[in-house]
Amino acid sequence: TNAARAPPAAAPKKAPSRVPNAAAPAARTPVGGTVDLSKAQLQEEVTELKLSVENLERERDFYYTKLREVEVLCQSKEDQEIPFLNEVLAILYKMDEGEEGAAEPEAPSE
């Protein structure tokens, strides 16, 4: 189904809250103390960033799994000498320009 191919739904994007340069006014707590609002804002921003990281990791894992499936499929047909599949494998194993050496492909597990 197409639902299985769609990337995981990401949380709605929300602009991170900005911490003003000036000290934020203090607010009274139920027990009579004061709380620095900038601390609360920072905690909210940390929470938002953690959620963003989780969503990005989930998306990364989703696409890595898909690429791995393509790699295994190409490797299973490697003995048939299909030029297109060899080109796909070349793309999958291509290193970034800044990286040294070539990575050896993993042997497919059977």
Side-chain angles (χ1 to χ4, degrees), residues 28-54:
R28 295 201 70 57
T29 63
V31 291
T34 58
V35 175
D36 186 9
L37 290 182
S38 64
K39 181 178 178 182
Q41 289 171 337
L42 289 174
Q43 288 175 334
E44 180 182 343
E45 188 171 354
V46 166
T47 301
E48 289 174 8
L49 291 172
K50 283 181 180 180
L51 289 173
S52 178
V53 167
E54 288 174 11

Side-chain angles (χ1 to χ4, degrees), residues 2-104:
N2 286 341
R5 294 183 183 163
K13 295 193 180 212
K14 181 179 170 187
S17 54
R18 300 285 179 217
V19 178
N21 290 337
R28 295 201 70 57
T29 63
V31 291
T34 58
V35 175
D36 186 9
L37 290 182
S38 64
K39 181 178 178 182
Q41 289 171 337
L42 289 174
Q43 288 175 334
E44 180 182 343
E45 188 171 354
V46 166
T47 301
E48 289 174 8
L49 291 172
K50 283 181 180 180
L51 289 173
S52 178
V53 167
E54 288 174 11
N55 287 333
L56 289 169
E57 287 175 343
R58 192 172 18 260
E59 188 173 356
R60 175 206 58 201
D61 293 345
F62 173 83
Y63 286 110
Y64 175 81
T65 301
K66 294 297 178 188
L67 282 170
R68 181 67 181 127
E69 289 173 9
V70 169
E71 177 187 32
V72 170
L73 177 65
C74 290
Q75 288 174 341
S76 72
K77 306 292 183 183
E78 227 173 0
D79 60 334
Q80 297 178 12
E81 297 298 324
I82 302 170
F84 174 76
L85 293 180
N86 291 331
E87 290 174 31
V88 171
L89 284 172
I91 290 169
L92 289 174
Y93 298 141
K94 182 179 177 182
M95 299 294 287
D96 287 340
E97 292 179 14
E99 293 183 25
E100 297 279 329
E104 289 295 319

